[in-house]
């Protein structure tokens, strides 16, 4: 979609509005575009072989000369994970807070891009001028430190993007959310709020992170004769800090296991966001030097990821840690929607090995519940509400909250990824659509697996494949050999010999019939083989495997 020269602000979400993940939004005014967040999403169960999903940035590529920079709200994968892939095409500066930049730097280093990309650390309260925009970073609380809301000052008014947030008056590290600044910005007059919807269905308020610290103290106190293994999100530095603090208080040594956990803890320690008492953290190799009751393992795998450290321990394939009958495993997280089965499977495996498992009251969310969302609306008093970050039902729940606090229904905008929303001081409406949706990353390939390839993979996974090989004489097209039928993922051939023999005869008869006619081309032969075999297989098995005829010419 090409630029239309008018004096309206355009907000174009390129992802993040249909699912939790892949957050990225473009803001455009005349010849300036800035982008907020650049996250990835993890593949659905039916995305066979796909490693990651990154956003479609076709619109940004088409308007490359106008893109001024990326503003990142915080350091979670669903907000920074796609940067190494997107920056290959759109290399513009990145603006974020200190810990967020630290995590981005590590990611860029892994992709050999650190020297090629400009990054700027921004402090709370600082304003960045880029093209037609001025962006202010405002302190918020979340399940990772250094989270920020963005006040985006535009020629038509202020748009407030909350990022992922909650209101925590007693955070483990640093200050509480800057509600005073939210109120001051609200008094200036806010055009629109783009607010986190993840917990918009939950009444009340989200508990403070410090509540988990008290829970850990009672768990450690009640299980002082057991080895304790805690699984949590690698990025929840405050949670890790509380586990370390509790371990130190109970005179236990701490081992950190899982690649992402080790990376984030080393970055957070280096930047001063994690304080580890001396002689508390030990290497996994030293674990054998201490009795079990003096050990705590902090590990990845709280979401049941098959390759994460806890999954490998539960399945007995971890090289250095074996689950023992006296172990206590604490899941300090809630399953992300869609991961419930995987988590349940791990818990069952742990119970099979006679370990004790705790998975309740050991987690608080990093997202605002209904009363906190209402508080933000009452402080900002925006003209328009644009619910973001969540599945449709979460955003719909926030739309109801916005209506409760007095925003007119016609000013609550339920938009989709790819919609072009135009706003000015008085109006807001969707005026068009741009390409949006997931681009699949498979191995080293980005975007080379499209919908057609995915459809083929689903077809193969569901019904298998039959290959029909035949040899034709050059020139006259006489059948010299075959048809030979090979199948994979369709039926077990040794137990279905009669089915395969009959299929071979049916294809042979169809070929004999068509070969007798004049002017038969290869395309016609292949179509006949596919149609004949497909009809036969469907009648016999009610399955539709992929059928590939191969003709060799001699």
């Amino acid at each position: 979609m090409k630029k239309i020269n008018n004096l309206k602000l355009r907000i174009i979400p390129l992802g993040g509005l249909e699912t939790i993940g892949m957050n990225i939004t473009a803001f455009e005014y005349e010849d300036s575009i800035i982008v907020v967040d650049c996250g990835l999403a993890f593949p659905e169960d039916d995305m066979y072989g796909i490693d990651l999903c990154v956003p479609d940035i076709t619109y940004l590529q088409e308007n490359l000369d106008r893109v001024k920079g990326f503003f990142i709200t915080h350091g979670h994968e669903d907000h920074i994970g796609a940067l190494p892939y997107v920056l290959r095409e759109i290399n513009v500066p990145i603006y974020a807070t200190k810990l967020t930049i630290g995590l981005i730097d590590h990611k860029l280093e892994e992709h050999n891009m650190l020297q090629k990309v400009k990054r700027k650390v921004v402090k709370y309260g600082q304003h960045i001028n880029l093209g037609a925009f001025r962006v202010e970073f405002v302190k918020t609380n979340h399940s990772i430190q250094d989270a920020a809301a963005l006040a985006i000052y535009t020629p038509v008014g202020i748009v407030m993007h909350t990022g992922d947030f909650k209101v925590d008056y007693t955070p483990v590290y640093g200050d509480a959310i800057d509600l005073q600044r939210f109120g001051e910005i609200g008094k200036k007059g806010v055009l629109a709020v783009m607010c986190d919807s993840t917990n918009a269905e939950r009444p009340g308020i989200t508990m403070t992170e410090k509540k988990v610290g008290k829970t850990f103290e009672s768990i450690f106190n009640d299980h002082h004769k057991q080895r304790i293994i805690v699984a949590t999100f690698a990025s929840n530095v405050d949670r890790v800090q509380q586990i370390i603090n509790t371990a130190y208080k109970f005179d236990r040594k701490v081992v950190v296991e899982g690649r992402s956990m080790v990376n984030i803890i080393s970055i957070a320690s280096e930047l001063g966001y994690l304080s580890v008492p001396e002689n508390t953290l030990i290497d996994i190799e030293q674990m054998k030097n201490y009795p079990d009751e003096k050990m705590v393992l902090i590990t990845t795998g709280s979401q049941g990821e098959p390759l994460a450290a806890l999954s490998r321990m539960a399945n007995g394939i971890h090289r250095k840690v074996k689950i023992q009958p006296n172990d206590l495993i604490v899941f300090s997280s809630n399953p992300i929607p869609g991961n419930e089965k995987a988590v349940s499977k791990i818990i069952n495996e742990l119970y099979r090995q006679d370990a004790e498992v705790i998975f309740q009251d050991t987690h608080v969310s990093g997202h605002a519940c209904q009363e906190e969302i209402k508080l933000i609306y009452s402080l900002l008093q925006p003209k328009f509400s644009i619910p973001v970050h969540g599945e449709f039902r979460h955003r719909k729940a926030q739309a109801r909250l916005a209506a409760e606090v007095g925003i007119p229904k016609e000013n609550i905008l339920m938009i989709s990824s790819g919609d072009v929303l135009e706003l000015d001081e008085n109006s807001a409406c969707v005026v068009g659509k741009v390409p949006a949706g997931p681009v699949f990353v498979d191995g080293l390939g980005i975007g080379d697996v499209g919908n057609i390839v995915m459809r083929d993979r689903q077809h193969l996974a569901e019904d298998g494949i039959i290959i029909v090989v035949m040899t034709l004489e050059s020139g006259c097209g006489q059948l010299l050999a075959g048809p030979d039928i090979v199948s994979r993922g369709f039926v077990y051939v040794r137990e279905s010999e009669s089915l395969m023999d009959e299929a071979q005869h049916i294809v042979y008869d169809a070929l004999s019939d068509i070969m007798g006619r004049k002017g038969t081309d290869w395309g016609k032969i292949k179509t006949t083989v596919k149609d004949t075999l497909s009809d036969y297989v469907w009648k016999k098995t009610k399955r539709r495997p992929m059928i590939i005829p191969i003709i060799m010419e001699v």
Side-chain angles (χ1 to χ4, degrees), residues 64 77 89 178 285 293 321 363 434 443 451 546 550:
L64 189 56
E77 285 294 310
E89 310 297 328
D178 193 349
E285 306 290 350
E293 64 270 17
V321 182
H363 177 65
V434 304
N451 290 335
M546 185 181 285
I550 296 174

Side-chain angles (χ1 to χ4, degrees), residues 400-446:
R400 288 193 290 272
L401 294 176
E404 277 179 35
V405 296
I407 294 178
K409 267 195 174 168
E410 63 273 14
N411 287 4
I412 300 168
L413 307 161
M414 292 292 292
I415 57 176
S416 304
S417 295
D419 283 351
V420 178
L421 177 67
E422 278 197 352
L423 298 99
D424 61 17
E425 294 91 334
N426 307 307
S427 64
C429 65
V430 174
V431 297
K433 197 104 179 140
V434 304
V439 171
F440 301 131
V441 178
D442 184 358
L444 297 175
I446 304 161

